[in-house]
Amino acid sequence: MFLALDLFVEKRPLMRSFIDKIPFLIAGAAIAIAAASVQPDMGHRPDPYILSFALVQNIWLLSGFGTYVQYRMPPETAATGFEIAAAIFLLAVFIAPLLLRRMFPVIVVLIYWILFAFIPSQILSFTHPVADRYMFFPSIAGVILLAWGLIALMEKLFKQKGWITGIILLLAIAFFWVKATLDYLSEWKDPRSIWFAASKKSDDPVIMQNLASHYMEHARKLTNPSLANESSRKEVKLLAKEIWKDSTQLPQLYKEWESGIQGGPVDKKFQNYLNSLSGDAFGKAIANKGNRIMGGLYYNRGLLLLNQDKLAEAKKDFIACVDEVSRESFSAVSNELNVYCYFNLGVIAWKEKDFREALRCFRLAEEEQIRFGRVLMPSITVNRKQLETIVASMPAN
């Protein structure tokens, strides 16, 4: 961007401009390498069609009138014809501003500011190529470009009074932007979580997975009050007020909580309701996941079912998680989930008094934990030794 400013506005020679940018280039390269090195390999590669799709969405969001939501369902790779067309489109978008370099050099710099600012997030090929946070830096150039362009256009159309008309239009746009911002902020304050509002705007399965986990976590804290602090207790009261607002049992629920009664009859009903909401959301996430690798989705639903003592269903989900992560390219995720899944499969087998199967699962969990190089479940070794004693005392098959 500095180089574009030198070339198009300052009219400096290319070589001289490039030389005094070397310190910035070195600093930028160091930061870029550090950032890229910590990104997990998600198995995604730059794709012209997805890049074009993302660019159009990003520009629309920059207008201030797009729909802001954390995750949007990323587009699938298109046919070869669309890929070629998308590549041509991207080249045209980056070359076209050069046609304005003589008449509107500052505008060219602002346009390239916007375009260049999107490149890092697209090169890293995140699972979600469009995200609100990618807008922050390019939006600076966007608002400058909008303000300058609108006032310049009004001055050309209405001569001396044009700048007044331009300011009035900018104030009108600002009004709508403020309204959209306040609406979006209200979603973040929703006690049902930001994921509830997001689920109305996007089919991305990660949203439903997070919404399900949100409900499940609140139910878990009600089951085990030692996990809840003052802040989380306030949150769950607001959540109950929102999702049980039409229930005649809400006053009774508050009365139990205020009396310090944990696990009362109404409290248990509310926990069951939260778990049912969680189960529904997990089901929708699985239905929408397509070919996405989402081992954590099955693992979390398995935990929910295990907490409800639905052992056979929980077992299916933990096995599905192990199968899912076998295709996971990020080894840290696959190792961690394998430890948790084998551990919980061991717990299920133990509850079913299948001690040999439980021992096998705990050994697998221990092996995965050793391979992972971190102690995720400290009790694995203790449980394994207990089971070895139990199995040793059992008659041979």
Side-chain angles (χ1 to χ4, degrees):
M1 285 161 44
F2 284 161
L3 195 62
L5 186 67
D6 278 2
L7 293 177
F8 302 129
V9 177
E10 301 294 335
K11 309 294 184 185
R12 296 180 64 197
L14 175 61
M15 187 53 65
R16 198 167 70 189
S17 297
F18 180 75
I19 290 172
D20 61 21
K21 302 300 178 294
I22 290 176
F24 297 100
L25 185 64
I26 293 171
I31 294 170
I33 291 168
S37 65
V38 298
Q39 298 301 325
D41 183 4
M42 304 301 293
H44 301 283
R45 296 292 178 267
D47 178 288
Y49 178 76
I50 294 176
L51 291 174
S52 298
F53 189 91
L55 180 62
V56 171
Q57 275 198 317
N58 282 327
I59 298 299
W60 176 237
L61 283 175
L62 272 186
S63 72
F65 297 101
T67 300
Y68 279 84
V69 59
Q70 290 92 322
Y71 299 131
R72 297 162 180 80
M73 187 73 85
E76 298 290 338
T77 300
T80 304
F82 285 103
E83 295 284 342
I84 294 171
I88 294 171
F89 169 75
L90 288 173
L91 286 172
V93 167
F94 276 86
I95 292 173
L98 293 174
L99 300 175
L100 305 173
R101 67 187 186 280
R102 297 188 186 279
M103 294 181 62
F104 306 106
V106 174
I107 300 307
V108 172
V109 172
L110 290 172
I111 291 172
Y112 278 126
W113 177 339
I114 294 170
L115 295 176
F116 291 160
F118 287 130
I119 289 176
S121 62
Q122 303 307 311
I123 288 178
L124 290 171
S125 294
F126 297 135
T127 302
H128 298 92
V130 180
D132 299 355
R133 60 190 178 277
Y134 304 161
M135 302 295 115
F136 300 158
F137 186 49
S139 69
I140 299 169
V143 293
I144 295 172
L145 188 59
L146 175 65
W148 179 89
L150 195 55
I151 290 177
L153 179 62
M154 292 301 103
E155 285 180 337
K156 188 171 184 179
L157 293 176
F158 301 105
K159 306 302 180 186
Q160 294 180 347
K161 302 292 184 180
W163 66 274
I164 298 177
T165 308
I167 288 175
I168 291 172
L169 288 174
L170 288 174
L171 288 173
I173 291 171
F175 171 80
F176 287 109
W177 281 3
V178 168
K179 184 179 182 304
T181 300
L182 293 175
D183 289 343
Y184 194 34
L185 288 175
S186 69
E187 294 177 7
W188 285 84
K189 296 174 183 177
D190 191 323
R192 293 165 295 188
S193 86
I194 183 62
W195 306 111
F196 178 81
S199 69
K200 308 298 181 184
K201 298 185 285 186
S202 173
D203 292 327
D204 194 288
V206 176
I207 289 174
M208 275 299 179
Q209 179 185 8
N210 289 336
L211 179 60
S213 297
H214 177 74
Y215 289 136
M216 186 173 73
E217 182 64 16
H218 277 301
R220 191 170 74 95
K221 287 178 179 177
L222 287 173
T223 306
N224 187 353
S226 64
L227 299 174
N229 54 29
E230 187 62 30
S231 176
S232 62
R233 281 191 283 270
K234 287 180 181 178
E235 283 180 19
V236 79
K237 282 184 178 180
L238 291 172
L239 178 62
K241 184 179 179 181
E242 184 63 42
I243 66 176
W244 251 20
K245 59 186 175 185
D246 298 324
S247 173
T248 56
Q249 298 183 90
L250 183 61
Q252 294 172 276
L253 179 65
Y254 279 172
K255 189 175 180 180
E256 284 187 3
W257 288 346
E258 286 164 6
S259 303
I261 300 172
Q262 299 295 336
V266 184
D267 181 71
K268 285 184 177 178
K269 285 182 181 179
F270 184 63
Q271 290 177 36
N272 290 336
Y273 183 64
L274 287 176
N275 284 329
S276 69
L277 291 177
S278 181
D280 290 343
F282 276 132
K284 289 176 182 177
I286 289 173
N288 288 340
K289 90 176 194 68
N291 60 3
R292 296 265 288 276
I293 300 172
M294 298 180 66
L297 175 54
Y298 290 103
Y299 170 72
N300 286 322
R301 191 173 72 165
L303 276 184
L304 174 67
L305 294 168
L306 180 57
N307 291 337
Q308 295 173 308
D309 281 329
K310 298 177 180 179
L311 302 185
E313 295 173 64
K315 183 177 180 179
K316 287 181 182 177
D317 273 347
F318 290 133
I319 291 172
C321 176
V322 171
D323 178 64
E324 190 85 353
V325 299
S326 67
R327 297 178 285 116
E328 172 66 64
S329 59
F330 189 25
S331 61
V333 170
S334 60
N335 287 347
E336 186 172 344
L337 284 174
N338 276 330
V339 172
Y340 292 142
C341 284
Y342 286 129
F343 177 85
N344 284 292
L345 285 168
V347 170
I348 291 171
W350 199 331
K351 286 188 173 188
E352 294 175 335
K353 300 192 182 305
D354 187 349
F355 300 117
R356 288 187 172 86
E357 175 62 15
L359 177 58
R360 185 186 74 86
C361 291
F362 279 119
R363 281 174 174 169
L364 288 170
E366 191 174 36
E367 288 170 10
E368 286 289 337
Q369 184 164 260
I370 292 169
R371 188 179 300 116
F372 189 55
R374 273 178 54 200
V375 178
L376 299 170
M377 306 289 289
S379 61
I380 291 177
T381 302
V382 174
N383 290 329
R384 188 257 302 164
K385 289 179 179 179
Q386 285 180 329
L387 281 164
E388 284 176 342
T389 303
I390 293 171
V391 171
S393 66
M394 293 171 61
N397 289 333

